[in-house]
Amino acid sequence: MSGLRWNVGDATVTRVVEREAQLAAGSFIPGATLEVLERNRAYLHPWSVDDEGRMGLSIHALCVEVDGLKIVVDTCVGPHPLPGIFEAMRDDGSFLTALAAAGFARESVDVVICTHLHFDHVGWNTMTVDGELVPTFPNARYLIARTEHEHWSAASEEAKEHATAFTLHNTVDPLFGFGVVDLVETDHRVSPSVALFPTPGHSPGHVSVRIDSVDATAIITGDCVHHPVQLAEPACASGVDDDPVQSTATREALVAATLDTGILVIGTHFPPPTAGHMVTTPDGPRFRPVG
Ligand SMILES: [Zn+2]
């Protein structure tokens, strides 16, 4: 495991990593060119942009413990077959070992939150045991936004493929047969300290997670932002954002809501140190990592 854990009042949030990668500038965020990264270098190098101008991207679960609950936010790529070049990202089970080592053995998890239904967020929702597909977290309720589920239920195979929502038949559809899904509103309250809030654009029913405990607040972003450069340059949309205009508005709202507030912003794909604060700088609002 990565060892990254944050206290948020009485809550803890633990990062459990499945995979980390360095990707070329302008690849998965087309607007994040070398030039754009260079003008943000003071805020991004070396932790999220390396010496060669490559962008760090991490795939991890964020595991919350609060209110007597163990909550896993997003379940990474998982063990199921993937098309084409994505097959190389398939997990060999190491993630479950890391999850247990972090105190989140799969039987102990009470709630799984899917921020949206792209393949790298739902993969370990299910697994195969003795040839049978089963819920990986047998005692958990799986929370999925109703609007997100409706969108993908109506989507063509081509649209799913394009948006990397290509494992639903293995990772989401079977959950309904197991009776473990709660379709919820995008502002659903999970527990006294944890609530969802809508952050659409990357996908129509995308949600982020807010944790309020004692006098502290944290936000788990999901994919409304993939890389910290997008918090400096909100118009830099991800290549798979469903609606780049809406996703830009969502990022602008996220910056406005967190700027100079002390709210801990925990990035679902941010490389270590992964969490930080939005602060006013002479160059405008910027993400300042903690630690
Ligand atoms: Zn996504």
Side-chain angles (χ1 to χ4, degrees):
M1 65 178 278
S2 67
L4 281 180
R5 179 171 287 180
W6 306 275
N7 294 315
V8 183
D10 290 335
T12 60
V13 183
T14 305
R15 173 179 177 265
V16 178
V17 179
E18 188 188 61
R19 179 173 293 274
E20 293 178 303
Q22 305 290 331
L23 300 175
S27 54
F28 70 104
I29 303 172
T33 59
L34 274 176
E35 183 187 0
V36 168
L37 296 179
E38 186 58 31
R39 72 171 177 243
N40 288 284
R41 180 182 171 88
Y43 304 97
L44 302 175
H45 180 269
W47 69 278
S48 64
V49 172
D50 69 11
D51 291 344
E52 283 79 49
R54 296 176 305 172
M55 304 169 74
L57 187 80
S58 169
I59 297 176
H60 50 245
L62 293 164
C63 301
V64 183
E65 191 157 12
V66 70
D67 300 332
L69 296 172
K70 292 192 178 194
I71 302 168
V72 174
V73 181
D74 290 333
T75 64
C76 304
V77 172
H80 305 289
L82 294 163
I85 57 168
F86 294 96
E87 176 65 12
M89 295 172 67
R90 186 171 164 184
D91 189 49
D92 61 2
S94 306
F95 173 76
L96 290 185
T97 304
L99 198 62
F104 286 76
R106 60 194 192 90
E107 299 81 6
S108 72
V109 173
D110 302 292
V111 179
V112 174
I113 295 172
C114 303
T115 61
H116 64 302
L117 301 185
H118 290 164
F119 81 105
D120 54 324
H121 296 260
V122 296
W124 278 109
N125 281 1
T126 60
M127 62 189 290
T128 302
V129 176
D130 298 331
E132 298 272 325
L133 199 65
V134 298
T136 302
F137 305 97
N139 300 311
R141 300 303 299 176
Y142 288 71
L143 307 187
I144 297 172
R146 184 184 305 280
T147 47
E148 179 75 1
H149 183 252
E150 285 175 355
H151 170 76
W152 294 113
S153 298
S156 67
E157 289 305 313
E158 192 182 354
K160 290 179 191 171
E161 196 79 16
H162 175 70
T164 72
F166 35 51
T167 61
L168 301 179
H169 60 290
N170 276 332
T171 60
V172 175
D173 300 344
L175 297 177
F176 290 88
F178 303 139
V180 296
V181 180
D182 291 329
L183 290 177
V184 298
E185 302 309 311
T186 53
D187 61 353
H188 178 72
R189 177 154 292 284
V190 180
S191 75
S193 307
V194 180
L196 311 182
F197 65 101
T199 41
H202 178 62
S203 67
H206 187 279
V207 295
S208 302
V209 180
R210 180 178 172 116
I211 303 161
D212 291 286
S213 180
V214 194
D215 57 354
T217 297
I219 285 171
I220 295 173
T221 62
D223 280 6
C224 64
V225 50
H226 282 84
H227 188 273
V229 71
Q230 295 173 287
L231 294 170
E233 312 254 359
C236 284
S238 156
V240 294
D241 280 2
D242 177 73
D243 180 345
V245 174
Q246 178 61 63
S247 74
T248 296
T250 290
R251 280 185 289 278
E252 289 171 346
L254 184 68
V255 169
T258 54
L259 189 61
D260 300 324
T261 60
I263 292 174
L264 188 68
V265 177
I266 307 174
T268 288
H269 284 302
F270 289 10
T274 304
H277 301 104
M278 288 304 301
V279 296
T280 298
T281 77
D283 298 321
R286 293 293 185 273
F287 180 83
R288 184 169 64 202
V290 295

